[in-house]
Amino acid sequence: MQISLTHYLALAAVLFAIGFFGVLTRRNAIGILMAIELMFNAVNINFVAFNRFITPIEFTGQIFAIFTVVIAAAEATVGLAIVLLIYRNFRDIFVDNINLMKW
Amino acid sequence: MPNLKLMLPELLLFAWAILVIIIGISRRRKNNESLIYITLLGIVISGLLIPIAGYGELFGRTFLVDKYAVFFKIIFLGAAFFAVASSSDLMSKLKSDHGEFFGLMLLSTVGMMFLTSTAELITLYVSLELTTIPLFVLAAYRKDQLASSEAGLKYLILGALSSAILLYGISLIYGLTGTTFLNDNLMRLIQQSIQMLLTTASINPALAIAIIMLVAGLGFKLALVPFHMWAPDVYEGAPTPVTAFLSVASKAAGVAALARIFYAGLTSFHSTDWGPLLAVLAAAAMIVGNITAVLQTNIKRMLAYSSIAHIGYLLIGFVALPLGDSGSINGPASLMFYLFAYMFANMGAFACAIAFARNFDSYQIRDYQGLSEKSTGLAVMLTIFLLSLAGIPPLVGFFGKYYVFLAGWTDYRWLVIIGILTSVIALYYYANVIKQMFFNKEKSTLDKVKLDTPLAITLVLTVIGTIVCGLYPEPVIRFAVEAVAIFPF
């Protein structure tokens, strides 16, 4: 069976949906960050697949994917630092319990 | 050799950010205000370099300087100036020099400046992240305060989530068109793909999903209803200068990116795809923002909800595209003028809140009662800012609202009517603060407010901006009208 663009896009869409579901349902801040990483990687699959099938001569999509990886790393770094700060202050990283401000 | 002169303001500000961080690390003297002045100097020099840099394009259209970009750069630099100047009190609470605070703020400003002068999606995305990642850190900057860490975490999670959603939308746009450049070429390609894909339906599903994801992703950054739930918490928890910066500069950056994507790349889908969508979101923002703001007792939270409502007013200008008739005030130009007006009034209002909290350590509106007794100046200034936000003539906010309503009147009359009605609600909660300050004098226990120099500079400059631009708005409007002429309406 030939693997077509549709297969890649379906894979990316499923991964994105799993990541989004994870963000909404996870209670652990680290888990939420991991789910967001999953969403970024779904987008990367999109970019690389579009690059291969839509513009095989140029490399725009692959370059975009590299930028996304780098930025996701930067975001994760800041994210983990903030989660650490939360742990020091609240002794807890479950987002349900971090609710000083409401409405 | 590319003409890097065009990038001079950004490059200088970037170098200045590094410099400020190094100075902050290398000195261990206790709090004095010199770092603030050094940072302000950098911002002013960067602003002065804008006319020297001139107009033009670099690296294809990856980096371009046009009047549209320059207008937004002035707003960003102005907001950064006021935010840095009003952070003197925060610095004295932190008890040492914090170069990285100012460095991060400058880096975020650099990101915004790049964001507004690009017509290419990779650069747009990278500069959007350069804008927001420092802001995550700044929101959590008061490490000793639980609320600040909580604000940082909430902002981080929703900011990262929104950029993932935005990125998915960008990837679909790239897949539909095969290019990341936002120009006529992109529009033509989209039209072709639509003609190929469409025979029966009126909307291309992939493009519709892409547009919804772009709106959702940028809507989070803008705190657009229904993506606004993070904003009040972050605004309340973050240090107040950061809140002020977030509420003005970060929103202006979101609007700049939104306008660049939708005006330069997707104008031809205005009437079918994104015009009605954004009009509904604008109405929701005005109604939810204003009604919820009435219930608030904390001034930072009240200003947060009112800023959500202001995004609604902005979007009236955003969806009201001009039809033919160039040269006069139109929707996009009124949007830019509104942002300019909002910058002065909102930064000023937050500076007043900082000045009050510096002396009395409270952000509760009920504690403002009788403020005018001993410190009439501060009370009068806060009144000017709130009336400008409410849109009372002859202050600058009045002209902002007036032009936005005027632009929307032909195509989106129902939206303008909602705007006018919700403005009345807005006037109620702004006037409530004014009433507390002026008419509840007998119970007043407040002493005279003491200001420090940078904060006083902020207050004076924002008051001057609010009044002078209100009395004489023509130059700004003319510039805004010229600036939006680049877009193919």
Side-chain angles (χ1 to χ4, degrees):
Chain A
M1 186 185 74
Q2 186 76 31
I3 297 193
S4 68
L5 178 60
T6 321
H7 292 91
Y8 286 108
L9 292 187
L11 171 67
V14 168
L15 266 182
F16 190 83
I18 292 174
F20 194 66
F21 182 76
V23 173
L24 297 180
T25 53
R26 282 271 157 180
R27 290 288 155 255
N28 185 315
I30 305 264
I32 294 178
L33 287 181
M34 285 164 69
I36 290 173
E37 291 297 306
L38 205 57
M39 292 169 75
F40 276 113
N41 285 321
V43 174
N44 281 343
I45 292 175
N46 251 358
F47 274 125
V48 176
F50 278 136
N51 192 110
R52 171 75 180 74
F53 288 93
I54 308 270
T55 55
I57 304 157
E58 293 170 18
F59 294 102
T60 321
Q62 298 194 21
I63 292 167
F64 210 143
I66 291 171
F67 274 108
T68 314
V69 169
V70 173
I71 286 172
E75 214 145 39
T77 313
V78 171
L80 288 176
I82 291 180
V83 171
L84 194 64
L85 177 64
I86 285 281
Y87 181 73
R88 281 192 189 145
N89 278 338
F90 288 82
R91 290 281 139 197
D92 199 353
I93 53 168
F94 283 84
V95 288
D96 286 348
N97 304 331
I98 302 165
N99 54 1
L100 292 175
M101 293 170 290
K102 278 186 216 165
W103 213 59
Chain B
M1 177 67 193
N3 178 16
L4 282 178
K5 214 178 92 186
L6 289 173
M7 227 184 253
L8 217 52
E10 285 86 354
L11 293 177
L12 177 110
L13 209 56
F14 181 73
W16 210 275
I18 309 283
L19 180 79
V20 171
I21 293 175
I22 292 173
I23 295 174
I25 293 171
S26 56
R27 293 189 328 172
R28 281 280 164 243
R29 242 182 309 154
K30 268 197 137 187
N31 166 58
N32 64 36
E33 289 168 356
S34 61
L35 255 185
I36 293 180
Y37 291 118
I38 293 171
T39 316
L40 292 180
L41 182 68
I43 295 171
V44 170
I45 294 177
S46 173
L48 292 176
L49 282 176
I50 288 178
I52 296 172
Y55 300 108
E57 287 181 12
L58 268 183
F59 313 122
R61 275 165 64 81
T62 309
F63 185 86
L64 72 165
V65 186
D66 46 25
K67 284 190 167 170
Y68 172 80
V70 166
F71 190 96
F72 274 102
K73 281 179 195 179
I74 292 168
I75 292 182
F76 299 146
L77 288 173
F81 184 95
F82 295 136
V84 168
S86 53
S87 57
S88 49
D89 178 45
L90 175 68
M91 289 301 118
S92 65
K93 289 209 175 83
L94 292 170
K95 299 274 187 286
S96 62
D97 271 339
H98 282 248
E100 67 271 21
F101 180 87
F102 301 112
L104 286 170
M105 209 165 239
L106 291 185
L107 282 179
S108 180
T109 316
V110 172
M112 291 170 192
M113 291 166 78
F114 274 117
L115 180 66
T116 179
S117 47
T118 182
E120 201 266 346
L121 289 171
I122 297 180
T123 322
L124 188 128
Y125 176 69
V126 173
S127 34
L128 189 68
E129 291 298 321
L130 179 58
T131 306
T132 44
I133 292 179
L135 288 176
F136 299 152
V137 183
L138 289 176
Y141 206 80
R142 288 298 299 271
K143 282 184 276 189
D144 51 332
Q145 283 187 350
L146 298 189
S148 179
S149 330
E150 183 182 330
L153 183 71
K154 283 177 173 167
Y155 193 34
L156 169 88
I157 288 175
L158 287 168
L161 177 67
S162 71
S163 58
I165 292 172
L166 176 76
L167 207 52
Y168 200 88
I170 290 177
S171 81
L172 288 180
I173 294 270
Y174 168 63
L176 283 168
T177 61
T179 176
T180 52
F181 283 89
L182 294 164
N183 49 29
D184 311 340
N185 195 28
L186 173 65
M187 290 207 290
R188 206 189 65 242
L189 283 163
I190 294 180
Q191 267 155 354
Q192 281 173 357
S193 71
I194 281 196
Q195 270 151 18
M196 285 196 302
L197 284 164
L198 287 193
T199 41
T200 52
S202 63
I203 292 177
N204 176 356
L207 183 66
I209 292 174
I211 285 179
I212 289 171
M213 288 204 154
L214 286 177
V215 170
L218 287 170
F220 266 113
K221 313 269 181 215
L222 283 174
L224 199 62
V225 173
F227 316 111
H228 67 286
M229 292 312 292
W230 61 273
D233 288 358
V234 173
Y235 283 19
E236 188 186 339
T240 320
V242 178
T243 308
F245 189 64
L246 268 177
S247 76
V248 176
S250 144
K251 288 202 170 180
V255 171
L258 200 68
R260 189 69 93 172
I261 293 176
F262 283 79
Y263 288 165
L266 303 166
T267 315
S268 45
F269 305 102
H270 167 252
S271 54
T272 52
D273 285 342
W274 56 267
L277 173 67
L278 282 173
V280 171
L281 292 181
M286 288 185 287
I287 295 168
V288 173
N290 278 322
I291 289 178
T292 328
V294 172
L295 307 169
Q296 303 306 320
T297 53
N298 180 311
I299 192 157
K300 280 168 89 176
R301 234 176 148 73
M302 192 268 283
L303 286 172
Y305 277 106
S306 95
S307 83
I308 290 170
H310 281 289
I311 286 298
Y313 296 116
L314 275 175
L315 285 180
I316 300 179
F318 190 81
V319 295
L321 288 188
L323 303 159
D325 183 33
S326 60
S328 65
I329 188 95
N330 52 37
S334 72
L335 155 97
M336 290 164 75
F337 184 76
Y338 195 100
L339 263 178
F340 191 76
Y342 174 73
M343 188 255 288
F344 282 115
N346 217 38
M347 296 307 291
F350 273 111
C352 287
I354 292 170
F356 186 85
R358 178 180 192 274
N359 289 275
F360 310 117
D361 199 26
S362 164
Y363 287 103
Q364 297 300 317
I365 292 170
R366 64 166 181 276
D367 291 341
Y368 279 66
Q369 59 185 355
L371 181 66
S372 68
E373 184 81 343
K374 294 269 174 57
S375 17
T376 320
L378 187 67
V380 168
M381 281 193 275
L382 185 52
T383 307
I384 290 174
F385 297 132
L386 292 176
L387 289 181
S388 176
L389 285 173
I392 303 291
L395 302 167
V396 67
F398 166 73
F399 290 101
K401 277 210 173 64
Y402 173 71
Y403 288 124
V404 163
F405 290 158
L406 200 65
W409 187 246
T410 36
D411 287 347
Y412 289 93
R413 196 159 296 179
W414 59 276
L415 201 56
V416 173
I417 291 169
I418 292 178
I420 293 169
L421 291 178
T422 49
S423 298
V424 179
I425 304 177
L427 187 58
Y428 168 75
Y429 60 76
Y430 291 132
N432 183 33
V433 180
I434 298 169
K435 187 190 118 214
Q436 293 283 351
M437 291 190 299
F438 283 94
F439 299 110
N440 291 346
K441 281 187 185 174
E442 59 280 359
K443 280 177 278 180
S444 171
T445 52
L446 301 176
D447 290 334
K448 191 163 170 44
V449 167
K450 287 192 226 32
L451 297 175
D452 46 47
T453 327
L455 196 55
I457 293 173
T458 314
L459 286 170
V460 169
L461 287 181
T462 44
V463 164
I464 291 173
T466 310
I467 295 173
V468 169
C469 293
L471 295 174
Y472 188 54
E474 279 83 8
V476 185
I477 290 170
R478 208 178 315 123
F479 195 86
V481 171
E482 285 167 14
V484 295
I486 56 157
F487 293 120
F489 295 123

